[in-house]
Amino acid sequence: MNDLPDRRKAILFPKQQKILRTLGENIKLARKRRQLTQKLISERTGISPITLRKIEKGDAGVSIGHYLTMLAALNLAEDLANVAQDDEFGRKLQDAKLLGADKKGGK
């Protein structure tokens, strides 16, 4: 019997894989613009060089916590808080429901 925890990698569609690769590429470019090496980031964050390479490739098997740690080392952690902040699609759904309620109520 295997005592190791079941580690499942997220199953992503090609469009989602592309988005993750773009994120990794953006992180890599931000690191390079700051003239920081992977070795230095590894030392500052405690993230292994292998995991850093995976982040910069947009690997879905890397935890979001590691992505956040990497972003924090680049002073970009607050960018993650902006994800889904302006939920245009959700607002359209909500507005459609509210307008439907108005029609039923005769307003």
Side-chain angles (χ1 to χ4, degrees):
M1 182 172 214
N2 190 350
D3 291 347
L4 295 176
D6 185 18
R7 293 184 154 230
R8 295 186 183 159
K9 194 172 184 178
I11 298 171
L12 301 177
F13 293 106
K15 186 175 181 179
Q16 296 164 334
Q17 289 172 347
K18 184 178 179 187
I19 291 168
L20 205 48
R21 278 194 307 271
T22 300
L23 173 62
E25 202 171 273
N26 290 345
I27 290 171
K28 182 177 185 174
L29 286 169
R31 177 183 59 78
K32 287 183 171 245
R33 281 187 210 108
R34 288 160 176 75
Q35 298 179 359
L36 299 171
T37 64
Q38 285 182 339
K39 182 179 180 184
L40 183 62
I41 295 290
S42 178
E43 291 169 356
R44 287 184 180 179
T45 63
I47 298 173
S48 74
I50 292 170
T51 301
L52 290 177
R53 284 192 291 278
K54 287 180 178 183
I55 289 170
E56 292 185 354
K57 288 182 180 184
D59 190 306
V62 177
S63 77
I64 193 166
H66 282 98
Y67 276 91
L68 181 56
T69 300
M70 177 78 172
L71 288 168
L74 300 170
N75 291 321
L76 294 170
E78 295 300 319
D79 287 4
L80 195 57
N82 294 328
V83 173
Q85 184 175 14
D86 186 25
D87 183 12
E88 185 177 335
F89 182 71
R91 287 196 181 115
K92 286 180 181 180
L93 290 173
Q94 188 178 36
D95 291 350
K97 185 177 180 181
L98 292 171
L99 290 174
D102 283 349
K103 288 180 184 177
K104 290 178 185 177
K107 293 182 180 180

